[in-house]
């Protein structure tokens, strides 16, 4: 029985091969970056065709810090719900529920 197992193990090892073999390694390609001038990501939208051009020069800007309070967001809402249900001729069942809600939400 052990001879049969040894033969099966040898055949399996011969069929599969040795798993210890490693694939040839390749060196990663080095990337060389060259200096380029920064390109402005600004375009002129068609809606601003008649407006004066924006002054986006960085020469006049200086480092600055601003401190202030966050402005509240005010949201006004009105909700009107009209739930209407009518049944057929023999029963003449009618139901209607109207709900109106309005308010202000500050965030």
């Amino acid at each position: 029985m052990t001879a049969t197992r040894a033969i099966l193990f040898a055949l399996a090892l011969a069929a599969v091969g040795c798993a210890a073999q490693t694939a040839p390694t390749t060196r990663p390609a080095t990337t060389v970056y060259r200096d380029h001038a920064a390109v402005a990501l600004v375009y002129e939208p068609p809606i601003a065709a008649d407006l004066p051009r924006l002054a986006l020069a960085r020469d006049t800007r200086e480092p600055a810090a601003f401190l202030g309070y966050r402005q509240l967001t005010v949201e006004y809402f009105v909700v009107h719900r009209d739930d209407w249900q009518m049944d057929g001729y023999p029963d003449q069942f009618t139901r209607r529920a109207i709900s109106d809600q309005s308010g202000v939400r500050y965030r």
Side-chain angles (χ1 to χ4, degrees):
M1 186 81 136
T2 58
T4 308
R5 284 187 184 175
I7 293 173
L8 287 175
F9 179 73
L11 287 174
L13 187 60
V16 174
C18 185
Q21 294 176 355
T22 59
T25 59
T26 58
R27 290 185 20 201
T30 58
T31 306
V32 178
Y33 296 102
R34 289 177 272 157
D35 292 336
H36 292 287
V39 179
L41 299 175
V42 178
Y43 64 95
E44 187 172 334
I47 197 167
D50 297 332
L51 298 175
R53 292 187 60 82
L54 295 174
L56 300 175
R58 295 184 181 187
D59 303 341
T60 58
R61 297 185 203 169
E62 295 180 4
F66 299 95
L67 177 67
Y69 296 103
R70 194 174 127 202
Q71 184 178 3
L72 288 176
T73 302
V74 182
E75 180 181 346
Y76 300 94
F77 63 91
V78 176
V79 179
H80 175 81
R81 294 183 190 99
D82 190 357
D83 186 9
W84 177 261
Q85 183 177 1
M86 179 181 272
D87 211 356
Y89 164 71
D91 299 329
Q92 291 297 323
F93 175 76
T94 304
R95 180 180 71 91
R96 185 172 189 182
I98 298 175
S99 173
D100 290 322
Q101 182 183 11
S102 64
V104 180
R105 185 179 300 156
Y106 298 99
R107 290 190 266 167

